[in-house]
Amino acid sequence: MRGGGNMQQMMKQMQKMQKKMAEEQEKLKEERIEGTAGGGMVTVVVSGHKEVIDVIIKEEVVDPEDIEMLQDLVLAATNEALAKADDVTAQRLGQHTKGLNIPGMM
């Protein structure tokens, strides 16, 4: 059984990595990430799991004559928040796979 020890060691490392990644996933659920548009007139808050938690719209941006602009600002703030959430997730989970060359893992 040549290499059996190496395989066992690799499996232990994988289990340890899985546990750490699961812990990070749980922490991400609690993370709050903001995206803004219109110079802070619209703010969208998402979790690290990319769930929209809050939408904050400043009163002065609400113009019944220009609903399209408000929709565009909400869309832009949402997309910014989701992109930031992707970055946070990649950063947090990527630190646990550094140095590993596992096909399909990054």
Side-chain angles (χ1 to χ4, degrees), residues 10 14 17 97 99-106:
M10 189 172 82
M14 291 295 292
M17 182 184 72
T97 58
L100 294 177
N101 189 12
I102 304 168
M105 284 292 289
M106 294 295 248

Side-chain angles (χ1 to χ4, degrees), residues 28-98:
L28 283 169
K29 187 193 308 186
E30 303 303 318
E31 187 77 32
R32 300 294 176 255
I33 302 152
E34 290 186 3
T36 60
M41 299 301 278
V42 174
T43 302
V44 174
V45 181
V46 299
S47 74
H49 284 188
K50 298 200 277 186
E51 295 172 334
V52 176
I53 296 168
D54 200 4
V55 177
I56 303 152
I57 301 172
K58 294 204 175 168
E59 191 174 314
E60 51 270 28
V61 79
V62 180
D63 178 0
E65 301 296 317
D66 195 3
I67 297 297
E68 258 185 55
M69 181 195 61
L70 180 56
Q71 291 170 331
D72 289 345
L73 291 174
V74 171
L75 185 62
T78 302
N79 285 333
E80 180 182 297
L82 292 174
K84 286 180 178 180
D86 281 341
D87 290 344
V88 169
T89 300
Q91 215 172 32
R92 294 264 180 90
L93 298 181
Q95 70 184 350
H96 298 294
T97 58
K98 282 183 185 169

